[in-house]
Amino acid sequence: MSRQDTVLILQGGGALGVYQAGVYQQLHEAHTPLDWIIGTSIGAINSALIAGNPPEKRMAQLRAFWDSLAPDAVSRSNFWPGFSSGFSQNFAPIFPPGFAPAFSPWMNLSNNFNTLNAITQGVNGFFKPRFGAAWDINAKVPIEEAGFYDTSPLKATLEKYVDFDYLNDGPIRVSICAVDIDSGQGVVFDSKRERLGPEHIMASGALPPGFAPVKIGKRAYWDGGVYSNTPLDVFLDEERHADALCFMIDLWDPSETRPTSIVSAMTRYKSIQYASRSAEQLLIYQRMQDLQRAIRTLTEHLPAAERKKEELKPLMAMGCDHTINVVHLIMKALPDDNYFKDVDFSTATMEARWAAGIHDCKRALRHKSWQKPLPPHAGLVIHELPQEES
């Protein structure tokens, strides 16, 4: 290979993002340098944590951030001594009358205090309930209050764990994806073109209707996942002049088992929705990249006189001679996952997902299929993990 850029692409998915932290830990321990990180939502937060710290502090800050989100088990057990007696009373400040009885049967949160705690009390250092927000959803509110939760605590958390001067001046390029709510179009905040701050990361994670839009200047932004939860196109749409090794980390498994209940159907629907057709996108870009390589190969076989023709130069310019290797890792669902798995910040669940990220990345690095010889026409090669033996 010629000079190669190493790129990390991080999907959105709330608490599921701890899997990405596990993947990065293994890349870090394998001394894999990164040139560019592209993230949406929780992927944007992980991007900032990685690129916003020097290598020697990176893992400590990443771990400290995720540890800070875990709920306090003692406080949780004290607050929720009995689900049936406490549900309506504790939900009352947030939800309108009649909401809890209709909501609780299919949520099945009586056995998941961690998720229930996050929904009713928020997550320390991340978001907190906007009390009374659901009483009258037709009430006029400022744009920055058009959500059920307040994400202002996240700003202090980001400033605690991310050195934004280092992020903007450091060696890793960072691209953060959001949606402009006025135009409805995707927006990319890029450290190569502008200085990034906590507000850009928060904008990328402002998922409606839970979180309100984040204002930056006169514009207001929502979570990039509203437009596309997999920011692969940000990488592939840029004109490339070098080979690239891309680690694409997806948090939503599009191939989970068929649902057997209404609530599992809702869970399955959510996974398909946020998987964002990433596999289909990859195949489309693979065809395009292979065609570009084919154009370059054909150009090389043209006689010198033909290459000098002005009418052929624009066509020849469409060719390329670099190769992109995409290592596609998809987090597999846990057996007890439910519709609200992306707000389950419990210590046990996060440790399991972190360990899964380490495990999957170890397997990918062990196979190293991208180092094998490739056919001359290969413009983009997709590498996915083989199924593990049972």
Side-chain angles (χ1 to χ4, degrees):
M1 279 189 174
S2 60
R3 185 180 68 82
Q4 177 176 266
D5 292 335
T6 306
V7 183
L8 187 60
I9 298 180
L10 304 177
Q11 202 178 59
L16 307 180
V18 72
Y19 174 84
Q20 297 169 342
V23 171
Y24 176 72
Q25 178 180 331
Q26 191 55 41
L27 291 175
H28 179 80
E29 292 176 357
H31 305 288
T32 305
L34 293 177
D35 298 289
W36 189 7
I37 309 179
I38 306 167
T40 293
S41 197
I42 197 65
I45 293 177
N46 280 329
S47 299
L49 290 163
I50 295 167
N53 285 288
E56 65 274 12
K57 294 182 179 180
R58 202 167 283 162
M59 282 311 307
Q61 292 292 79
L62 190 62
R63 170 61 77 173
F65 167 81
W66 281 101
D67 283 347
S68 74
L69 302 182
D72 184 302
V74 175
S75 297
R76 184 172 64 253
S77 62
N78 289 337
F79 190 82
W80 297 107
F83 175 83
S84 58
S85 62
F87 189 98
S88 297
Q89 177 183 354
N90 291 313
F91 264 82
I94 311 173
F95 300 114
F99 180 87
F103 197 52
S104 58
W106 67 264
M107 277 177 64
N108 192 28
L109 293 181
S110 58
N111 296 320
N112 193 337
F113 295 129
N114 301 308
T115 305
L116 187 59
N117 192 64
I119 292 173
T120 59
Q121 303 301 302
V123 174
N124 186 43
F126 198 156
F127 60 90
K128 59 185 179 182
R130 200 181 301 280
F131 289 107
W135 280 94
D136 182 4
I137 59 176
N138 291 308
K140 301 294 184 182
V141 295
I143 191 67
E144 58 269 24
E145 294 180 14
F148 294 115
Y149 297 89
D150 176 6
T151 59
S152 61
L154 181 57
K155 183 176 187 295
T157 301
L158 289 170
E159 290 173 337
K160 179 178 181 180
Y161 295 111
V162 177
D163 181 340
F164 280 93
D165 287 333
Y166 185 86
L167 184 152
N168 286 290
D169 301 327
I172 302 177
R173 177 182 176 185
V174 180
S175 296
I176 302 301
C177 304
V179 174
D180 187 312
I181 67 169
D182 294 313
S183 68
Q185 297 298 306
V187 175
V188 180
F189 304 116
D190 196 311
S191 63
K192 188 177 179 180
R193 300 189 293 266
E194 60 194 306
R195 293 194 72 81
L196 303 182
E199 65 277 10
H200 297 95
I201 313 302
M202 294 170 67
S204 182
L207 183 64
F211 299 160
V214 172
K215 291 184 69 176
I216 301 176
K218 295 182 179 180
R219 311 298 293 182
Y221 302 93
W222 265 332
D223 191 304
V226 172
Y227 190 79
S228 174
N229 199 38
T230 305
L232 175 67
D233 57 332
V234 176
F235 165 64
L236 293 177
D237 283 347
E238 180 162 305
E239 185 177 357
R240 309 286 312 155
H241 298 287
D243 291 337
L245 173 60
C246 171
F247 292 90
M248 178 175 163
I249 318 303
D250 285 1
L251 302 175
W252 302 89
D253 185 358
S255 61
E256 295 170 2
T257 57
R258 181 179 291 187
T260 57
S261 65
I262 293 177
V263 69
S264 63
M266 295 181 69
T267 303
R268 184 79 188 95
Y269 162 72
K270 191 173 184 179
S271 294
I272 293 173
Q273 177 186 21
Y274 286 114
S276 294
R277 298 166 39 232
S278 59
E280 182 180 338
Q281 281 185 307
L282 271 175
L283 291 175
I284 292 171
Y285 278 104
Q286 184 179 44
R287 295 189 195 102
M288 292 170 57
Q289 199 74 19
D290 288 354
L291 284 172
Q292 288 181 303
R293 283 296 298 263
I295 291 171
R296 175 55 61 92
T297 301
L298 291 173
T299 297
E300 291 171 352
H301 285 79
L302 286 175
E306 293 295 312
R307 290 188 222 170
K308 293 179 181 179
K309 291 183 177 180
E310 290 299 322
E311 64 269 24
L312 293 182
K313 287 182 180 179
L315 301 179
M316 293 187 293
M318 296 173 68
C320 72
D321 59 359
H322 59 266
T323 299
I324 297 172
N325 283 277
V326 178
V327 181
H328 190 197
L329 300 182
I330 304 174
M331 186 184 73
K332 297 301 178 183
L334 297 176
D336 58 347
D337 276 350
N338 58 46
Y339 184 83
F340 293 96
K341 60 185 178 180
D342 51 334
V343 290
D344 183 358
F345 290 90
S346 62
T347 300
T349 302
M350 289 203 296
E351 287 294 343
R353 297 196 194 285
W354 189 301
I358 294 174
H359 175 76
D360 288 351
C361 190
K362 272 186 179 179
R363 291 180 61 214
L365 294 177
R366 186 168 63 248
H367 285 283
K368 290 186 177 179
S369 55
W370 57 89
Q371 291 186 356
K372 296 178 182 178
L374 300 172
H377 68 274
L380 189 150
V381 184
I382 304 166
H383 307 272
E384 294 182 318
L385 287 176
Q387 291 294 320
E388 290 185 290
E389 296 180 3
S390 57

